[in-house]
Amino acid sequence: PSLAVLLNNFCDSRMGQQKWIEAQTVCMAAFKANIKRPPEKVFPEVPPEDIAWGLHHWAVAGAHAGNAHYHGAVEAELEQYRCELGPEKISDVYFQLGRLSLFRGDADDAERLHRRSLDDRVKAYGWLHPYVADSLAAIGQCALVQGRFSVAEKYEIDASNVRKLMTDSDPGDITRSLLGIGIALEAQEKFREAIDLYGQAASACESALAGSVAGPWRRPWGRCPGARNAKSPEAYYIAVAGCRSAIEDQLRLTALSLHGTGRIFVKLTPSALAGGFDESALALRASLLGPRHPLTLQSHLAVARSLEIQGNYADARAHYLRALGIA
């Protein structure tokens, strides 16, 4: 695994220098190093995103070098190692490849990879599984980027239904589904329905946070699942880290819900109420991520736009300047 990390870093540097043939060689070496997994008693299993990263860059570098095409090259390599990786891991790698393609701006290729992942996941796990819901939501995100808003809404609803039918669904996943449906509805200008979904998402976040932090912020960690009965410092640390991660996730989702509500209120009526939602989201992001984080910058822009619409140009300018300073 350490060798694979070094090779992936080496691959990144060659990609940055546009040395495509060298990058392709190193990326394939990283991919092969990652799939040659040592015994689980010695090292943990290699995350699928690490496997996907090397394979993804190998295909991109090959396309730039004129030696291979991205379409089809990935599948050929994965099929070659299907027996070694196993169907579950193969589906995870396809999912990560889809995410990377969407990050590159290739929504069509991302959707194709996510559909392949969905097929493998349904065969491996059945329909009622969180990974299946993740794939459905990912296809919805691709459709949203492509401007197929009604299709995006359908897949986000399908993902939400899968998560609701599961008794052990993660609250964060439920919230993400509500937000995904809300964004698709907002894109179709179904503003009242979208506001309702954003409100549900915010309420779900609030309920989850109340369960995680039932009291002063300085003393919540002892109530984290597994922390109170931890039999070692390591177990306590893992439990606390998991609890903190869940809380931060809920705060991020709360900010998204507030910004969504603010966006719609600004469209419907330029009232101070809209600015209140955006300002609350800004306060959350600044406290969680820090004053110079890119998402804090986005929140400053949202507040500034709201203030500008209301004619409050001096305060809007101040927020635009803060955003510029972060940028």
Side-chain angles (χ1 to χ4, degrees):
S2 299
L3 174 62
V5 169
L6 290 172
L7 287 168
N8 263 330
N9 289 338
F10 189 22
C11 170
D12 287 342
S13 69
R14 285 292 180 262
M15 294 278 286
Q17 297 170 42
Q18 298 186 4
K19 297 182 178 178
W20 306 118
I21 295 176
E22 293 179 35
Q24 191 177 24
T25 302
V26 179
C27 290
M28 178 52 66
F31 167 65
K32 290 185 176 179
N34 263 323
I35 65 173
K36 301 294 182 184
R37 292 170 290 177
E40 291 184 5
K41 291 182 180 178
V42 181
F43 290 108
E45 193 172 2
V46 178
E49 56 266 28
D50 289 351
I51 298 174
W53 194 257
L55 187 59
H56 176 267
H57 269 179
W58 165 78
V60 172
H64 281 294
N67 296 335
H69 296 287
Y70 183 76
H71 295 279
V74 166
E75 284 83 352
E77 286 299 320
L78 280 180
E79 290 305 316
Q80 181 180 347
Y81 297 100
R82 175 172 281 274
C83 293
E84 184 172 353
L85 288 168
E88 292 85 1
K89 180 66 70 176
I90 285 282
S91 69
D92 291 346
V93 174
Y94 272 118
F95 182 82
Q96 297 299 335
L97 287 167
R99 292 181 63 189
L100 288 168
S101 283
L102 192 60
F103 182 74
R104 287 177 63 221
D106 192 342
D108 293 342
D109 197 48
E111 181 180 353
R112 182 179 62 82
L113 291 165
H114 280 307
R115 287 187 181 279
R116 180 62 185 271
S117 175
L118 175 63
D119 290 342
D120 284 346
R121 284 177 166 180
V122 171
K123 291 174 184 175
Y125 305 111
W127 278 99
L128 290 183
H129 195 278
Y131 288 171
V132 171
D134 290 344
S135 288
L136 289 167
I139 294 171
Q141 290 164 11
C142 294
L144 187 70
V145 172
Q146 294 164 334
R148 298 154 57 212
F149 302 133
S150 61
V151 175
E153 179 188 353
K154 174 189 176 301
Y155 276 97
E156 290 287 2
I157 289 173
D158 288 345
S160 176
N161 289 336
V162 170
R163 286 167 175 155
K164 286 177 181 177
L165 288 170
M166 295 166 49
T167 56
D168 56 346
S169 289
D170 181 81
D173 290 336
I174 296 291
T175 304
R176 271 182 279 273
S177 282
L178 294 170
L179 281 169
I181 300 169
I183 290 169
L185 290 168
E186 182 185 350
Q188 298 173 74
E189 298 188 351
K190 298 178 181 179
F191 295 133
R192 293 187 182 279
E193 296 174 53
I195 281 182
D196 181 55
L197 267 296
Y198 289 143
Q200 290 182 45
S203 297
C205 288
E206 186 178 354
S207 299
L209 284 170
S212 301
V213 192
W217 275 90
R218 294 183 180 179
R219 298 194 301 274
W221 308 122
R223 288 183 285 274
C224 290
R228 181 172 295 178
N229 300 320
K231 296 181 180 179
S232 68
E234 291 82 1
Y236 179 84
Y237 174 81
I238 291 170
V240 168
C243 185
R244 179 166 189 166
S245 176
I247 292 170
E248 290 178 350
D249 190 38
Q250 292 300 324
L251 288 172
R252 288 189 180 95
L253 295 173
T254 302
L256 287 171
S257 305
L258 293 169
H259 273 315
T261 305
R263 276 196 310 273
I264 293 176
F265 270 115
V266 165
K267 292 172 184 175
L268 295 178
T269 172
S271 65
L273 183 62
F277 284 104
D278 286 321
E279 287 169 2
S280 297
L282 169 61
L284 274 177
R285 281 179 167 171
S287 63
L288 175 65
L289 304 170
R292 294 191 171 275
H293 194 277
L295 290 178
T296 305
L297 180 156
Q298 291 183 14
S299 290
H300 276 297
L301 287 176
V303 173
R305 281 192 291 266
S306 176
L307 291 168
E308 185 179 356
I309 289 171
Q310 296 171 47
N312 188 346
Y313 301 121
D315 288 344
R317 182 175 183 275
H319 280 284
Y320 278 131
L321 285 172
R322 288 175 193 168
L324 179 62
I326 298 170

